[in-house]
Amino acid sequence: DGWMIGCVLILPAFREHGVATEALTLIVDDLKLRGVRSVDAYPKRGAQEAGELWNGAESTYARLGFTVVREDAKRPVLRLTF
């Protein structure tokens, strides 16, 4: 069973405080409990501005253990497998 994370939207007042990392950690933990085998994410590579980060930052996914399974200059596919 594979899932994907499409959007990670954090209100401006809560950005740069680890909220996205904490939220994604809770989501990943919940998916593990539900028996999900993998989760994919599609961050925009090189995104700098908040308006470009609605898929989540590639660095956040990397910290959570996601790895690149398909390279793409603009939109790589990252996967976390349990």
Side-chain angles (χ1 to χ4, degrees):
D1 228 2
W3 285 54
M4 58 99 46
I5 297 171
C7 297
V8 180
L9 300 173
I10 306 299
L11 292 171
F14 299 100
R15 293 178 185 152
E16 298 185 25
H17 297 288
V19 174
T21 301
E22 183 64 26
L24 288 169
T25 298
L26 292 170
I27 290 166
V28 165
D29 289 347
D30 182 64
L31 292 173
K32 281 186 208 175
L33 290 173
R34 294 172 186 269
V36 172
R37 294 182 184 164
S38 66
V39 183
D40 288 354
Y42 307 88
K44 184 175 181 184
R45 184 163 277 166
Q48 299 296 319
E49 297 182 28
E52 297 181 302
L53 292 169
W54 58 272
N55 291 106
E58 186 173 356
S59 60
T60 301
Y61 291 114
R63 278 195 304 275
L64 294 174
F66 283 73
T67 58
V68 176
V69 294
R70 192 188 81 208
E71 274 294 345
D72 185 87
K74 294 182 181 181
R75 185 108 31 208
V77 177
L78 281 69
R79 180 171 294 148
L80 181 62
T81 304
F82 310 118

